[in-house]
Amino acid sequence: MGYQQPAATMHTDLEADAIGLLGATMQAITHIAPAVAGFLFTPFIVSLAGITAPLAYLIGFILVLMLGNTLAQLAKHMPSAGGY
């Protein structure tokens, strides 16, 4: 096997401390916001969908899975340091 450099000596274009505590907190909030909204808007969705609410959630879940699969395949071919 060939010699591999330690990760600490590899050169990247990423800057150290480029994002602070506030930026990291805002990024974390944007990642959890859709899940929180799903829980908070459930009564509103059920009031509109009625007895078909479980079917609406199932269809939405399937759509999100398809989108997630597409994004995962895309990320394999075009990886980035920040999100998609």
Side-chain angles (χ1 to χ4, degrees), residues 35-44:
V36 172
F39 288 120
L40 294 179
F41 289 120
T42 298
F44 176 70

Side-chain angles (χ1 to χ4, degrees), residues 1-39:
M1 281 201 218
Y3 176 74
Q4 292 182 351
Q5 291 182 339
T9 61
M10 293 181 68
H11 174 70
T12 65
D13 293 332
L14 301 175
E15 296 180 20
D17 299 325
I19 185 170
L21 179 62
L22 182 62
T25 303
M26 291 300 132
Q27 189 174 20
I29 289 171
T30 62
H31 280 78
I32 65 168
V36 172
F39 288 120

Side-chain angles (χ1 to χ4, degrees), residues 64-77:
V64 167
L65 281 180
M66 292 184 340
L67 177 63
N69 184 35
T70 303
L71 290 174
Q73 296 297 321
L74 189 62
K76 286 180 185 177
H77 295 289

